[in-house]
Amino acid sequence: MNPLADRVSLISDSITLAVSAKANAMKKAGIDVVGFGAGEPDFDTPTFIKDSAKAELDAGRTKYTPTPCFPELKAAIAQKFNTENNLPYKPEQVTVGAGGKFCLYMAFMATLNPGDEVLIPSPYWVSYPEQVKLAGGIPRIIRGEESNGFKITPAQLQSAITAKTKVLILNSPSNPAGHAYTPEELTALADVVAMHPHLLVFSDEIYEKLVYNGLKFVSFATLHPSLMDRTLTFNCHSKSFAMTGWRVGYVGGPKPIIDAMNKLQSQMTSHITSFTQMPAALALTDPRGKESVEAMRVEFERRGHHMHERLAALPGITCVKPAGAFYCFPNISSYLGKSIGGVNLTDAVSFAAALLAQAHVAVVPGNDSGFDTHIRLSFATSMEQIDKGIDRIKAFLAKS
Ligand SMILES: Cc1ncc(COP(=O)(O)O)c(C=O)c1O
């Protein structure tokens, strides 16, 4: 008898993980690997947030809390949505879960019936299609073309919506391509959504604070009066406050969906870790929170511009300039079909594997994001590492 449930085979093993496992093994063996794989800030969590967690532990805040959290955290999140995003969510329209990832998973579980379709613009964050499948839904990809900065157009969206479409996912600024929609472009998508009242929108805004080139961030649900009742707005502390390991994610949305997510969570994890809750509230309410995010944003913008300039100057490589998040997503297709160091390059996975083995540079192949012709490089690393890694990539490509 197969001990495993069928649902396990529904989801793919991550090819990305294989490359990062290899990079880690090489580092452990003492090899000087330049890592561009990180999906997290290289900054530490701000001291005032860490101090708050220490105080919570010392005060004995180590027991069960209400599902999904203490009222203070819900209130801080609602206030953040109200004041920073112009989203009038009340505390009862907010829920909290173990990172943005678990919040998205709960939302799919709370809204999808078997066979419901979910529109996912590509390139996409690797977990969206897998979570949709786990929840019984069917992912439908809308391809964002590089020639349009990886953004989907209103016409593409319009033609992808069918009677079976239940949810549209939007992620701006985006992982993995670092692209971000302007308010005008998002409004044009909102106008399409407004014509389809059966459609829910999951707006993944976790990179909202990391925008560059003077881009103005707007929350999707503000863009049309009908959207508040059918948009879930996702956010988390992971990227804004360099708190990836703390697992704090949150969502604002229509009360019936939030209630359903709380019902699910009450039987799953109950709540996030007790002593992270008040620090998470403090991060949102203390002015030092905003200061630390802005300091990080300025530094990421500087690094992102530098990495982009250097990548775009490599022969045969094109690269869209990042407008947000901390990723460049260069196109390596002109090298596919060639061989480097005796290795035939057939797609981004073989390219990334050869680059790691021969040049000791770790990148993320775009295959898991729907693009097997692109690689993702994170600029959440120092300028020195960026230059060293791109010098190595240049020498690697010169061997083709
Ligand atoms: C687009 C996107 N959404 C959600 C998440 C999940 O964030 P968290 O670490 O809070 O679970 C990530 C993490 O990389 C992401 O890139």
Side-chain angles (χ1 to χ4, degrees):
M1 193 185 78
N2 179 358
L4 301 180
D6 292 344
R7 78 174 69 85
V8 180
S9 59
L10 281 179
I11 57 172
S12 326
D13 281 326
S14 169
I15 21 189
T16 307
L17 282 185
V19 179
S20 60
K22 177 94 199 292
N24 287 338
M26 286 168 69
K27 276 187 210 159
K28 261 203 174 146
I31 298 172
D32 170 30
V33 173
V34 176
F36 289 137
E40 58 186 351
D42 55 327
F43 296 88
D44 195 6
T45 303
T47 306
F48 78 97
I49 303 174
K50 293 202 291 190
D51 286 346
S52 165
K54 289 176 197 165
E56 288 291 289
L57 281 170
D58 289 342
R61 190 97 78 165
T62 55
K63 301 286 163 54
Y64 290 135
T65 80
T67 297
C69 63
F70 292 121
E72 288 90 338
L73 177 53
K74 267 201 217 177
I77 291 168
Q79 193 198 337
K80 181 258 183 244
F81 276 136
N82 299 170
T83 56
E84 293 182 16
N85 302 97
N86 200 21
L87 293 167
Y89 296 128
K90 301 190 178 75
E92 62 269 25
Q93 288 181 277
V94 163
T95 191
V96 175
K101 189 180 250 178
F102 187 64
C103 289
L104 281 152
Y105 179 60
M106 280 196 293
F108 290 125
M109 292 297 281
T111 56
L112 296 184
N113 281 317
D116 284 341
E117 296 186 356
V118 177
L119 297 178
I120 308 176
S122 71
Y124 46 79
W125 179 50
V126 293
S127 293
Y128 295 140
E130 307 314 301
Q131 292 194 345
V132 167
K133 287 187 271 176
L134 272 180
I138 301 172
R140 295 277 181 232
I141 308 302
I142 312 178
R143 190 178 163 90
E145 296 297 343
E146 181 175 348
S147 55
N148 194 40
F150 298 112
K151 297 177 225 185
I152 60 163
T153 63
Q156 278 182 297
L157 175 59
Q158 174 63 45
S159 64
I161 299 171
T162 70
K164 287 189 185 157
T165 314
K166 181 90 180 257
V167 176
L168 163 69
I169 300 179
L170 289 173
N171 172 217
S172 174
S174 156
N175 177 8
H179 64 285
Y181 291 79
T182 64
E184 294 72 28
E185 288 164 338
L186 273 186
T187 302
L189 296 180
D191 289 343
V192 175
V193 173
M195 291 189 289
H196 299 275
H198 69 286
L199 192 61
L200 297 173
V201 179
F202 288 6
S203 184
D204 181 345
E205 304 185 355
I206 75 164
Y207 292 101
E208 66 161 333
K209 298 294 181 198
L210 303 177
V211 285
Y212 315 125
N213 320 328
L215 188 90
K216 184 176 174 326
F217 176 83
V218 288
S219 280
F220 190 74
T222 63
L223 295 176
H224 194 279
S226 72
L227 290 176
M228 270 304 276
D229 287 341
R230 54 200 178 97
T231 301
L232 290 181
T233 305
F234 294 84
N235 214 316
C236 66
H237 285 49
S238 302
K239 319 286 171 163
S240 305
F241 301 110
M243 289 172 67
T244 46
W246 293 58
R247 313 311 297 135
V248 180
Y250 58 94
V251 194
K255 188 164 179 305
I257 302 182
I258 296 296
D259 286 349
M261 290 168 68
N262 287 335
K263 188 174 169 187
L264 290 178
Q265 179 154 216
S266 73
Q267 300 292 8
M268 296 168 104
T269 56
S270 299
H271 57 77
I272 62 168
T273 302
S274 57
F275 49 86
T276 64
Q277 295 184 21
M278 298 308 268
L282 187 68
L284 296 173
T285 54
D286 191 297
R288 286 172 292 181
K290 283 201 184 67
E291 286 159 20
S292 61
V293 180
E294 178 56 13
M296 213 164 59
R297 190 200 68 77
V298 167
E299 179 59 15
F300 281 146
E301 179 158 25
R302 191 172 79 91
R303 296 176 189 176
H305 284 171
H306 183 64
M307 177 182 265
H308 170 259
E309 249 171 45
R310 293 234 32 211
L311 286 171
L314 294 175
I317 300 281
T318 56
C319 187
V320 171
K321 188 172 181 181
F326 34 70
Y327 310 107
C328 286
F329 198 56
N331 181 339
I332 47 106
S333 59
S334 73
Y335 289 89
L336 302 183
K338 296 185 176 170
S339 108
I340 295 186
V343 176
N344 291 331
L345 306 178
T346 52
D347 67 350
V349 172
S350 55
F351 183 96
L355 183 66
L356 180 60
Q358 298 176 36
H360 302 168
V361 176
V363 300
V364 176
N367 301 50
D368 283 341
S369 298
F371 271 64
D372 61 4
T373 46
H374 289 63
I375 54 174
R376 190 192 80 175
L377 282 77
S378 161
F379 45 85
T381 186
S382 69
M383 285 293 226
E384 293 69 36
Q385 287 291 304
I386 291 172
D387 275 328
K388 183 168 158 185
I390 295 182
D391 287 344
R392 289 183 185 182
I393 295 176
K394 192 172 173 184
F396 172 77
L397 297 178
K399 293 194 294 175
S400 72

